[in-house]
Amino acid sequence: MDTQDPREPLAADLILAAQLDRVTAEARGHHRLLFLECVPDDAFALWARTKAISEPDDVAYIHLLASGRGVISGVIAGLEVDGDDLDDDLNTVLFGRALVLVSGIDKARQHLGERLFQWLEWAAIRLPLTVANTADAMPFVSRLGRHPVAVDQILDGRFSGTAAELAGRVIKSSRKNP
């Protein structure tokens, strides 16, 4: 019988969160774009959402949608957002953030095409650090390589599978205990 409090993270959850925190901390001040490989997009998205909720003044999270009416969803300034495009309105609200976390980039690349690359270039010039989760960074690096771009990997897959549980528990706990 499992008697663990659902708000208490497992060791693997904490290790993945710590690895993601470490990677982003090390990239700050050295790179403008970091493409993170080898983390399931769902696990990254939940970690990113949790970070944006817990650090609303500094961190924003956006998820790029591959299809549908809207193009983005996410958390900016601690608020749930939806948007129709990677446009000036989005750029305005992201401008003051120290860290922008992006998921869904692989599927969105096919749907958004050149607009995605233009937006990533804007981020590389205007934002301190944008971290995008991807299965393969090479298409992005080859197009954006003239900017301070880096690629990092989380290689221990054991820690990736439970990140969604950690983030889910943190979000639920924060809603119950404001």
Side-chain angles (χ1 to χ4, degrees), residues 24 40 91 99 126 155 157 168 172 174 176:
T24 56
N91 295 351
L99 176 63
R126 304 278 191 273
L155 297 176
K172 286 177 187 172
S174 69
K176 288 179 184 176

Side-chain angles (χ1 to χ4, degrees), residues 14-24 154-156 159-160:
L14 293 174
I15 291 170
L16 177 62
Q19 288 179 331
L20 292 169
D21 286 338
R22 177 191 51 78
V23 166
T24 56
I154 303 291
L155 297 176
D156 194 337
F159 304 128
S160 298

Side-chain angles (χ1 to χ4, degrees), residues 19-34:
Q19 288 179 331
L20 292 169
D21 286 338
R22 177 191 51 78
V23 166
T24 56
E26 288 175 357
R28 287 183 190 204
H30 300 286
H31 305 287
R32 287 294 189 77
L33 287 173
L34 171 65

Side-chain angles (χ1 to χ4, degrees), residues 68-135:
R69 188 165 184 203
V71 172
I72 67 154
S73 66
V75 177
I76 302 173
L79 303 172
E80 297 285 335
V81 297
D82 290 303
D84 292 330
D85 207 351
L86 299 170
D87 58 13
D88 289 339
D89 291 339
L90 174 65
N91 295 351
T92 299
V93 296
L94 290 177
F95 188 71
R97 308 294 150 227
L99 176 63
V100 175
L101 304 168
V102 184
S103 64
I105 197 166
D106 292 328
K107 291 179 183 176
R109 182 172 62 117
Q110 294 174 350
H111 177 69
L112 298 174
E114 188 59 30
R115 285 188 301 159
L116 175 60
F117 286 103
Q118 289 171 352
W119 183 81
L120 287 169
E121 190 158 336
W122 173 87
I125 294 168
R126 304 278 191 273
L127 299 176
L129 178 61
T130 300
V131 178
N133 193 50
T134 180

